[in-house]
Amino acid sequence: MEAGTRVWSYESSGEDPWILSEIISRSDNSIKLKHIIAGGEEESSKSSFDRPLLTNDDATSSSEGAKYEGVELANAQLSEADIAEGMDNDMISLPHLHEPAILHAVSERYFRGEIYTWTGPVLIAVNPFQRLPLYTREILESYRQEGFIRSQNLGDNAKPLGPHVYSIADRSYRQMMAEERKSQSILISGESGAGKTETTKIVMLYLTTLGTPEDSSGPNVEVGVEEVHDSNEKLSIMERVLQSNPILEAFGNAKTLRNDNSSRFGKFIELGFNRAGILQGAKVQTYLLEKVRIGFHASGERNYHIFYQLLRGATEEQHHKYCFHDGLTGGLELANYFHLTGQGGAPTLREFTDEEGLKYTLKSMRSMGWDEGKIDMVLSIVAGILHLGQVKFESKMSDGGQEVAQIADEKTVADAAKLLGVDLEKLTTALTVRIIVTRGDEIRIDLAPDKAQDA
């Protein structure tokens, strides 16, 4: 590292942990740096500063010469021609690959509207939090055509298309259809709000499109554009697979502080293809559902979407059927009145209303072959859970002189029992009594009011 070399310097305070800097001078034990702001100018608000030389024990690598505390070499700025050629499509090609280089490369691409970046065979995606024209039928067809040409060992000299989740899905499909016929796995991971749910839908759409016979007419392939199907219309396997998403999201997704449509469960989706590459069916396994969210959610967050969809989208007839009594809410909206939905203030979503969500959930259920009886049974259970959240307890003295819980409002429990399809007496017992079975003997313990409320 010589004077004039540009580096990244780590700062523990401020919004940006790594600041572009330039070496002013170097001594035997340290280097003197100055910060560089946008446009290549020196930062005048802060004087130069020193960074000490790391000892051999502290240095993690000696391949780039001397190492200094909180300092990493910066890559040269790419020209417009280099960017046009896609020189930064794959971060493996960067001369220096470390944390600030990765953050800078991904950031530069993001602000150019390029949210995907390769790092070897791994695709990095940055959630743009807006709809981008990256998933049209034309773009899908271009990646499908490129994948087909590559699988036939043709067009080796052609310029490859840029990084895209379609490319990941296409490689997986082509490798599955190779001579060895090996099953493939795609892992989609990231923190809350990273875009896992949307990416999963995009991958499924691409794979199901590839697995559909050429003479079949597929759905609109642009993500974010949903199609409505007549409940009597016979859907293809591809359409049935895609129509399962709204149901999973209604019962397993919720609004958090960072994400309006956060998946609160994990899912393993298995797509089955025959030897000709035609989609034959799908299976979804869910796991690690955040059950605690049903009983509690933080301020500004929501419970699962289906509760709000039902409360805000139910018809007048459904209000009476599910015992939603608007006149008893004290002027509160139903979603704020019910305990299980009102803890976080029952905020609305930015991209769609709960009324629209219920309509689309119901249409998806019908598209999946659910009859009206099954749909009503599911919604009755959802309503029954809402009424269970309204149950209050009061105290009474037992025969043994202990304070035990009893139901304060019998009608609320009766409504819940009717909607859930369970015996009222057994539900009352389950709410107020803890039963322990040891060696075949049953021990019944009456719960105190606070214990019954927590249970």
Side-chain angles (χ1 to χ4, degrees), residues 154-452:
L154 302 173
D156 292 338
N157 297 325
K159 179 183 175 182
L161 295 173
H164 200 291
V165 68
Y166 285 162
S167 187
I168 288 283
D170 190 272
R171 290 183 185 184
S172 177
Y173 181 82
R174 304 298 174 187
Q175 290 173 8
M176 177 191 71
M177 293 303 298
E179 187 177 351
E180 296 83 2
R181 290 294 196 277
K182 290 185 177 179
S183 298
Q184 303 292 310
S185 296
I186 299 176
L187 176 64
I188 300 172
S189 64
E191 61 180 10
S192 179
K196 299 184 294 297
T197 299
E198 290 301 312
T199 299
T200 299
K201 290 191 286 188
I202 295 167
V203 169
M204 287 179 61
L205 187 145
Y206 188 90
L207 290 173
T208 53
T209 302
L210 261 61
T212 302
E214 293 291 338
D215 57 349
S216 298
S217 58
N220 190 329
V221 300
E222 185 169 358
V223 172
V225 179
E226 309 289 2
E227 285 200 343
V228 176
H229 295 276
D230 190 297
S231 58
N232 295 322
E233 180 184 350
K234 184 175 178 60
L235 301 181
S236 67
I237 293 176
M238 174 179 71
E239 290 168 324
R240 289 172 66 93
V241 169
L242 297 178
Q243 285 290 329
S244 67
N245 275 319
I247 302 173
L248 291 173
E249 291 184 12
F251 287 88
N253 288 23
K255 173 181 169 57
T256 65
L257 295 178
R258 302 178 62 181
N259 183 3
D260 271 11
N261 193 33
S262 177
S263 296
R264 311 313 299 167
F265 67 104
K267 54 179 174 281
F268 176 75
I269 304 172
E270 187 175 358
L271 302 179
F273 299 82
N274 62 18
R275 294 190 65 82
I278 304 301
L279 181 67
Q280 298 296 294
K283 180 171 64 176
V284 180
Q285 297 180 27
T286 61
Y287 55 92
L288 297 178
L289 177 68
E290 187 185 22
K291 296 178 182 178
V292 69
R293 180 168 290 271
I294 295 177
F296 172 79
H297 56 275
S299 176
E301 296 193 352
R302 304 205 324 176
N303 212 317
Y304 293 106
H305 293 327
I306 188 62
F307 293 117
Y308 302 88
Q309 291 177 3
L310 184 58
L311 289 174
R312 288 175 171 154
T315 63
E316 189 65 30
E317 179 185 353
Q318 289 173 322
H319 273 229
H320 291 288
K321 179 187 294 184
Y322 303 136
C323 306
F324 297 155
H325 307 298
D326 292 307
L328 304 179
T329 64
L332 289 175
E333 184 209 12
L334 279 174
N336 274 295
Y337 170 72
F338 279 89
H339 175 70
L340 296 184
T341 54
Q343 299 170 43
T348 56
L349 304 178
R350 285 169 287 190
E351 290 215 359
F352 56 88
T353 66
D354 292 305
E355 292 85 350
E356 293 170 343
L358 179 63
K359 291 178 182 178
Y360 191 55
T361 300
L362 293 177
K363 286 171 182 173
S364 297
M365 289 176 174
R366 295 181 181 114
S367 297
M368 294 294 292
W370 295 19
D371 58 37
E372 294 302 317
K374 182 175 182 179
I375 293 174
D376 180 63
M377 180 180 66
V378 171
L379 296 183
S380 293
I381 292 174
V382 172
I385 293 172
L386 287 170
H387 283 288
L388 274 183
Q390 299 300 100
V391 175
K392 298 291 187 293
F393 300 91
E394 57 187 16
S395 62
K396 70 173 183 178
M397 300 305 295
S398 68
D399 295 338
Q402 292 182 324
E403 185 182 28
V404 297
Q406 70 175 6
I407 304 296
D409 183 3
E410 294 289 347
K411 186 179 185 310
T412 301
V413 181
D415 289 341
K418 181 183 71 172
L419 292 166
L420 293 172
V422 299
D423 181 75
L424 174 59
E425 183 179 348
K426 291 182 179 179
L427 179 59
T428 302
T429 300
L431 293 172
T432 57
V433 177
R434 183 173 62 174
I435 300 176
I436 303 174
V437 178
T438 57
R439 296 184 179 180
D441 295 329
E442 184 180 283
I443 302 174
R444 299 168 65 92
I445 302 174
D446 291 323
L447 296 175
D450 58 334
K451 297 294 184 182

Side-chain angles (χ1 to χ4, degrees), residues 18 20 27 34 83 94 99 106 113 152 204 221 229 251 312 315 368 377 416 449:
W18 293 94
L20 185 63
S27 65
K34 63 182 178 183
I83 294 174
L94 297 177
E99 180 183 332
V106 172
Q152 302 300 312
M204 287 179 61
V221 300
H229 295 276
F251 287 88
R312 288 175 171 154
T315 63
M368 294 294 292
M377 180 180 66

